[in-house]
Amino acid sequence: MEKKDLRIVFMGTPEFAVETLKALVENDYNVVAVVTQPDKPVGRHQNELQPSEVKRYALEHNLPVLQPEKMKDPAFVEALRSYQANLQVVVAFRMLPEVVWAMPEYGTFNVHAALLPQYRGAAPINWAVINGETQTGVTTFFLDHDIDTGRIIMQKPFDIPDTADVEYVYDGLMYLGADICLETLERIIAADGHPESIPQEELSTAGQELRPAPKIFKETCEINWNQTAKQVYDFIRGLSPYPGAWTLLTSPDGKETVLKVFKASKTGHPAQQKPGTISIDGKTLCIAASDELMQLEELQLAGKKRMTARDFLNGNKNFDKYTIK
């Protein structure tokens, strides 16, 4: 098979997916159409529509764009079929019904930001950092009936430094994902559409714990100060800069407000007070975890801008009078 024989439909929505689509276009693959989420209403009155990052790139490069509300919509399925793709590539998109993923003769493969079978789900990058992993990676696999369970084509590892936050890992996997997609396509071409792939069960060892990566909601992001400092540290960097770990403060007059924490460090000093206790020493702001003090370095009070702890304390002189719920 030649590269020109591949008719590819690309599916993705966020910035993470753009790098892979860009790699396909710049390497002269025949992307016949792009599928992405419908434009989102934004603005104070929700009366403006904002296109996805993938749509922006597709339109800039004159690629046809499909934006189905429902993936099983007969009109969408028929429109998709009209492009006569023999392969579909999915990056950071939604779950596909069989009528869609089984449509092309060579199937549909996904670029997933984890080393499957670990971290199946919607937020693998966040959960890998939250759980203190020292390595993650990217996987290409063929879609099947269940989410993130299909046969694996390729994997590439990526190291996570102890100081890295989610943004660092996200950026690294975004570029690594584009690389593995191109290499996967080369394998598909060399194998006339049917590259070697292995069941995920063959990558699991007996008794191995498989860690999931479920979607993250606001309530997921609340800091549990009863955990160890290491756990709190990993939790904060696993949600920084977005969506941001938070804790609920109560002011001396009983008002509650949310404090987001974007950067913190382990002090090594044993906690002398109960978890969640705030202490201030000069321009240093600490909160007790279960075993030691955590020093807050970058934070944001609800309705205010993100700032350093030093600047924050300059504007909040009585912060040590606050309590954490």
Side-chain angles (χ1 to χ4, degrees):
M1 181 194 301
E2 302 290 332
K3 180 189 285 191
K4 61 181 175 56
D5 298 325
L6 271 184
R7 292 178 59 83
I8 299 171
V9 165
F10 181 86
M11 300 185 182
T13 294
E15 176 195 24
F16 188 90
V18 173
E19 194 62 32
T20 302
L21 177 57
K22 178 182 176 185
L24 295 179
V25 170
E26 293 183 351
N27 284 274
D28 299 321
Y29 279 97
N30 184 18
V31 180
V32 295
V34 170
V35 182
T36 190
Q37 295 277 44
D39 295 357
K40 283 187 175 181
V42 295
R44 185 174 180 181
H45 302 290
Q46 299 285 286
N47 56 357
E48 298 176 36
L49 292 177
Q50 179 174 286
S52 72
E53 294 300 319
V54 163
K55 180 180 178 179
R56 290 180 192 274
Y57 182 88
L59 294 180
E60 287 170 3
H61 292 80
N62 300 312
L63 299 174
V65 175
L66 301 176
Q67 295 178 274
E69 291 282 352
K70 297 180 180 179
M71 299 301 290
K72 290 184 180 180
D73 179 0
F76 163 69
V77 172
E78 191 57 35
L80 184 63
R81 187 174 285 115
S82 72
Y83 287 100
Q84 299 179 323
N86 46 21
L87 180 71
Q88 292 175 157
V89 177
V90 180
V91 184
F93 197 49
R94 57 208 283 190
M95 191 169 179
L96 303 181
E98 183 174 3
V99 67
V100 172
W101 60 255
M103 187 182 295
E105 61 179 315
Y106 302 139
T108 299
F109 77 81
N110 192 328
V111 178
H112 185 74
L115 296 176
L116 293 172
Q118 293 290 357
Y119 296 105
R120 294 169 174 159
I125 304 176
N126 297 93
W127 285 109
V129 181
I130 288 170
N131 288 333
E133 301 286 2
T134 57
Q135 188 180 74
T136 184
V138 288
T139 301
T140 51
F141 69 97
F142 285 115
L143 267 62
D144 63 12
H145 292 92
D146 298 313
I147 188 166
D148 298 338
T149 60
R151 294 176 65 91
I152 288 175
I153 311 166
M154 288 187 68
Q155 292 190 316
K156 282 181 174 288
F158 181 85
D159 291 337
I160 306 176
D162 183 60
T163 55
D165 60 15
V166 136
E167 186 172 43
Y168 173 91
V169 183
Y170 179 99
D171 288 347
L173 295 185
M174 179 171 66
Y175 292 105
L176 194 61
D179 291 343
I180 200 173
C181 178
L182 294 178
E183 290 186 32
T184 298
L185 288 171
E186 288 171 5
R187 288 195 182 188
I188 289 172
I189 291 168
D192 288 327
H194 303 286
E196 274 190 44
S197 60
I198 61 172
Q200 292 192 26
E201 292 74 22
E202 293 187 12
L203 296 178
S204 299
T205 56
Q208 180 185 26
E209 177 192 3
L210 293 184
R211 290 181 156 179
K215 187 175 181 178
I216 288 176
F217 298 95
K218 181 182 178 182
E219 55 269 25
T220 313
C221 302
E222 184 174 10
I223 300 168
N224 178 4
W225 297 103
N226 289 305
Q227 292 186 315
T228 66
K230 174 70 165 85
Q231 289 173 312
V232 173
Y233 171 75
D234 290 338
F235 186 79
I236 290 170
R237 67 193 183 100
L239 295 167
S240 178
Y242 182 83
W246 60 271
T247 194
L248 188 62
L249 300 173
T250 303
S251 67
D253 59 2
K255 292 181 180 178
E256 292 185 342
T257 187
V258 168
L259 178 73
K260 281 192 173 184
V261 183
F262 296 100
K263 188 176 182 181
S265 58
K266 308 182 293 292
T267 64
H269 299 305
Q272 304 293 336
Q273 296 172 295
K274 69 177 184 178
T277 301
I278 298 170
S279 59
I280 297 174
D281 182 7
K283 296 300 182 182
T284 301
L285 170 58
C286 292
I287 298 180
S290 67
D291 57 348
E292 66 180 75
L293 292 177
M294 295 288 302
Q295 181 177 335
L296 274 56
E297 297 175 7
E298 292 183 20
L299 37 80
Q300 181 178 19
L301 205 58
K304 306 294 183 180
K305 67 178 183 178
R306 177 175 170 175
M307 61 183 69
T308 65
R310 176 180 289 271
D311 289 341
F312 177 84
L313 290 175
N314 285 337
N316 294 273
K317 301 294 185 184
N318 298 317
F319 191 68
D320 56 345
K321 302 293 192 301
Y322 281 68
T323 57
I324 291 178
K325 187 173 180 180

